[in-house]
Amino acid sequence: MPLHPIIIFIAAVFTHNIALTYLLGICPLVSMSRHLGAAFGMGLAVTIVMLITSIANWLLYYYVLMPTGSEIMSYLVFIIIIASIVQLLEMVIIKYFPRLENSFGIFLPLITVNCAIMAISLFMVLRTYSLFQTILFALGSGIGWLLAIAVIAAIREKLKLIGDIPGGLKGAGITMIIAGIIALIFMGFSGVVSIQ
Amino acid sequence: MTTFLIIDTIIFCVALILLVAQKYLLNFKDCSIRLNNEKDIQVEGGNNLLNYLNKNKIFIPSACGGKGTCGYCKIKVIRGAGNILPTEEPFIDRAERKLGMRLACQIKVRGKVEISIPDHLLGAEEYEAEVVELSDKTHDVKLLNLKLTSDKTFEFEPGQYVQVKIPGTDEFRAYSVATPPYMKGHIELIVRLVPGGLCSTYIHKALEVGDKITFTGPFGDFFLREADSDIVGIAGGCGMAPIRSIANHLAGLGMPRRFYYFFGARTTKDLFFMEEFTELEKKYPNFKFIPALSEPSPEDKWNGEVGLITEVAERYLDQLDKIEAYLCGPPPMIDAAQILLANKGVKKANIYFDKY
């Protein structure tokens, strides 16, 4: 029986969080979580890019690659599509939403090489999701990632007020520990839904 | 076969879409840069400020080639650049932010931008030169002798630096000029081999006599001021370069001011230009050269001064009155020297330094 898209969505946000369960997209999670504002901008950009690229890649995979037997090239095609969609998105934002550009425009180029984005496209193929399932999976994963980075950034902002972090743990070190504890908390959701 | 055709088609379509999008989405109207409230530069827009300034022959110091990693291309932006970006934050402190300082390489010009650039940067130009001599001064320091091949003369103040373009990249590295300005058409640079360093490795390992080099300059507010007070020069390692320029410039004028030059090194194999300065010392009673070793080994057979260069300088400073100090060397040396000079009652305004 195919999984209901809503279940996939909830699983992607909580029980199978892309950052905290699969440890994907950790690089920006650590480097961009200093301020809540920047973290939110980054999370939003990741969500949007995830959604658009997974839809484009789904269509391309099932309507172009599969019928011609070119699945072997899917990695290459996915990367090309992700990179060009990010570029296109950047141009559209610069042209029509200059204010948005100021808040997360500089994050877009970083997303091109974000493994979480690529992972969504690969997972949807691996798990043979339908288009509708893919859309909710991508949306859920994006929101899940946004949630993770926002929570970590909020904790880091509070930590900065307290200060007193041992020298060796400052920056990336303490962030990894925070991420680990948040991941443990998210494990508490594991009974809610299961997709595997 | 079909697989490759499909991939090619996809890449072609994607490239086409991007090109069309670029043409229709990224055309900015009325882009200009207003410089110091007097000059307007029309630009097509879309690229970064540093790029446009370079194109218009305004050379701002920058080492990383616009990647936003060196933080040298700071300029004052009056309006038109939006809010400060997270990529600039590490390089711009709170006081600078209030002044409107930004990194030129991170600002995209998409409208009217108003900036202000200090006059001493506007004098910088691009020059071509040919390597006429390349000699080892110590085990890791090379002296690079350049002959200018451009028609224009290179005018600078003794102590200023130039930025050497690294061939095949957009990157630049700063080197102080080690020769006085009166040697028209010739400049010398002192280059220490930095392990893994892009430009120093290039100069040490790849550059040959007869090669062409491009540099921009002059830059920097570290240069000899006109005054009649005594001069203290404190240098370590390649900090030798600007002080040598200053010393030779003054020697050219007959050494009108008393000049004590303290040069610090670890062992004798890190010392260079010893004969040149001993000669100067003999010729001009006003000039005193005091080299010091911090870690001399017994085989060095060193009978000169021993200790950190600041400790050595402290023993001599009382012989001078009304000091103007020029410091060039590694940051810890400069910090120590500043404390020493402050203790000796030298005013902050009379201490010039160049950290590297």
Side-chain angles (χ1 to χ4, degrees):
Chain A
M1 190 192 117
L3 286 165
H4 195 278
I6 298 293
I7 291 184
I8 293 177
F9 176 80
I10 293 170
V13 177
F14 296 109
T15 59
H16 291 75
N17 189 295
I18 193 104
L20 300 171
T21 314
Y22 295 104
L23 302 181
L24 290 166
I26 290 294
C27 171
L29 194 76
V30 172
S31 60
M32 279 295 162
S33 56
R34 252 173 251 127
H35 306 287
L36 189 54
F40 197 77
M42 182 75 185
L44 217 57
V46 165
T47 311
I48 293 167
V49 173
M50 257 182 198
L51 192 63
I52 298 175
T53 57
S54 62
I55 294 171
N57 282 341
W58 191 94
L59 293 173
L60 212 59
Y61 187 84
Y62 286 104
Y63 288 107
V64 179
L65 295 184
M66 202 113 119
T68 55
S70 316
E71 293 102 322
I72 192 165
M73 297 305 255
S74 57
Y75 277 65
L76 190 65
V77 172
F78 288 171
I79 288 188
I80 293 170
I81 295 296
I82 290 169
S84 46
I85 283 184
V86 169
Q87 283 230 323
L88 205 61
L89 197 63
E90 197 180 6
M91 287 187 232
V92 171
I93 286 176
I94 287 170
K95 179 81 179 175
Y96 298 108
F97 311 98
R99 199 171 290 168
L100 213 59
E101 205 265 332
N102 225 329
S103 60
F104 75 72
I106 55 153
F107 302 123
L108 282 175
L110 296 175
I111 293 175
T112 316
V113 287
N114 188 334
C115 54
I117 309 283
M118 184 71 181
I120 299 302
S121 291
L122 295 178
F123 281 170
M124 83 190 180
V125 171
L126 218 60
R127 298 176 182 171
T128 57
Y129 284 159
S130 70
L131 182 59
F132 192 48
Q133 281 174 321
T134 301
I135 291 173
L136 279 167
F137 174 54
L139 196 64
S141 296
I143 291 172
W145 198 88
L146 170 75
L147 194 66
I149 194 172
V151 168
I152 290 172
I155 293 175
R156 284 184 78 176
E157 277 195 357
K158 287 275 182 291
L159 269 184
K160 213 162 45 192
L161 297 179
I162 306 165
D164 259 10
I165 298 166
L169 276 180
K170 273 188 185 134
I174 194 74
T175 312
M176 298 299 269
I177 293 175
I178 296 170
I181 295 170
I182 305 281
L184 286 177
I185 295 169
F186 269 62
M187 274 181 75
F189 293 116
S190 61
V192 181
V193 283
S194 178
I195 55 168
Q196 264 163 356
Chain B
M1 191 59 206
T2 38
T3 306
F4 290 113
L5 214 64
I6 292 293
I7 301 297
D8 284 348
T9 318
I10 290 173
I11 294 176
F12 180 75
C13 292
V14 162
L16 202 69
I17 292 170
L18 282 180
L19 280 176
V20 171
Q22 204 163 13
K23 190 156 172 17
Y24 288 101
L25 292 177
L26 293 188
N27 53 345
F28 304 99
K29 286 189 193 97
D30 294 336
C31 289
S32 67
I33 302 168
R34 191 163 176 80
L35 182 63
N36 291 348
N37 222 352
E38 51 192 22
K39 193 176 155 199
D40 275 308
I41 305 167
Q42 294 299 326
V43 294
E44 70 268 33
N47 214 324
N48 70 50
L49 193 54
L50 183 68
N51 244 318
Y52 287 129
L53 291 175
N54 275 349
K55 262 187 207 157
N56 286 286
K57 303 281 167 210
I58 296 164
F59 297 100
I60 291 174
S62 153
C64 66
K67 290 205 220 52
T69 52
C70 72
Y72 291 173
C73 60
K74 271 181 210 169
I75 56 163
K76 188 173 171 180
V77 177
I78 298 157
R79 66 176 64 86
N83 291 333
I84 192 158
L85 299 171
T87 39
E88 298 170 75
E89 274 170 5
F91 302 102
I92 292 176
D93 63 31
R94 200 167 290 179
E96 287 173 325
R97 201 175 296 195
K98 264 191 193 144
L99 285 173
M101 301 304 276
R102 301 285 302 266
L103 295 188
C105 69
Q106 297 298 308
I107 295 172
K108 295 271 190 296
V109 180
R110 289 177 193 141
K112 289 188 169 60
V113 179
E114 264 184 62
I115 59 172
S116 146
I117 296 176
D119 285 337
H120 68 90
L121 286 181
L122 292 176
E125 282 187 59
E126 192 174 62
Y127 297 89
E128 299 275 335
E130 189 186 314
V131 180
V132 287
E133 200 194 329
L134 199 59
S135 55
D136 285 308
K137 281 290 151 190
T138 74
H139 60 104
D140 65 349
V141 171
K142 263 194 200 304
L143 183 72
L144 182 64
N145 191 337
L146 298 173
K147 180 174 172 283
L148 270 81
T149 49
S150 311
D151 297 332
K152 52 199 172 192
T153 48
F154 177 58
E155 308 264 356
F156 66 101
E157 298 287 332
Q160 284 192 303
Y161 68 92
V162 296
Q163 296 244 59
V164 174
K165 186 166 197 291
I166 308 168
T169 70
D170 293 327
E171 305 207 12
F172 287 84
R173 289 292 182 275
Y175 294 103
S176 293
V177 181
T179 38
Y182 64 72
M183 288 178 66
K184 290 221 182 324
H186 268 278
I187 62 166
E188 285 177 0
L189 307 177
I190 295 173
V191 181
R192 193 174 75 84
L193 181 63
V194 181
L198 197 58
C199 194
S200 67
T201 313
Y202 162 69
I203 289 171
H204 273 252
K205 310 279 187 204
L207 195 66
E208 282 171 10
V209 171
D211 285 354
K212 295 264 187 291
I213 245 179
T214 306
F215 68 87
T216 56
F219 295 112
D221 47 11
F222 179 77
F223 55 82
L224 181 69
R225 304 303 202 272
E226 300 256 346
D228 52 4
S229 49
D230 293 344
I231 299 173
V232 170
I234 303 180
C238 291
M240 165 67 85
I243 311 287
R244 180 173 177 245
S245 175
I246 292 173
N248 278 321
H249 172 75
L250 287 169
L253 300 172
M255 201 59 78
R257 302 162 67 175
R258 202 137 55 118
F259 191 162
Y260 277 35
Y261 177 19
F262 301 92
F263 180 65
R266 290 245 300 277
T267 59
T268 41
K269 72 181 176 91
D270 299 313
L271 290 171
F272 53 107
F273 286 130
M274 297 296 283
E275 301 84 35
E276 184 179 317
F277 285 107
T278 336
E279 279 300 300
L280 268 188
E281 203 173 11
K282 273 187 206 143
K283 213 164 149 194
Y284 302 102
N286 256 350
F287 180 73
K288 207 166 171 56
F289 178 54
I290 303 125
L293 296 185
S294 60
E295 299 163 15
S297 54
E299 57 263 31
D300 280 339
K301 298 202 177 56
W302 177 251
N303 48 19
E305 294 284 351
V306 173
L308 289 177
I309 193 66
T310 42
E311 296 162 8
V312 175
E314 190 169 14
R315 298 200 274 275
Y316 287 85
L317 285 184
D318 293 332
Q319 302 173 12
L320 300 166
D321 40 62
K322 259 192 89 184
I323 293 171
E324 194 173 78
Y326 293 90
L327 320 173
C328 188
M333 187 208 90
I334 293 190
D335 296 340
Q338 278 180 299
I339 294 168
L340 165 74
L341 290 164
N343 287 344
K344 294 280 176 192
V346 182
K347 277 202 204 99
K348 225 176 179 173
N350 290 335
I351 303 175
Y352 305 98
F353 61 87
D354 195 358
K355 284 186 193 180
Y356 63 79

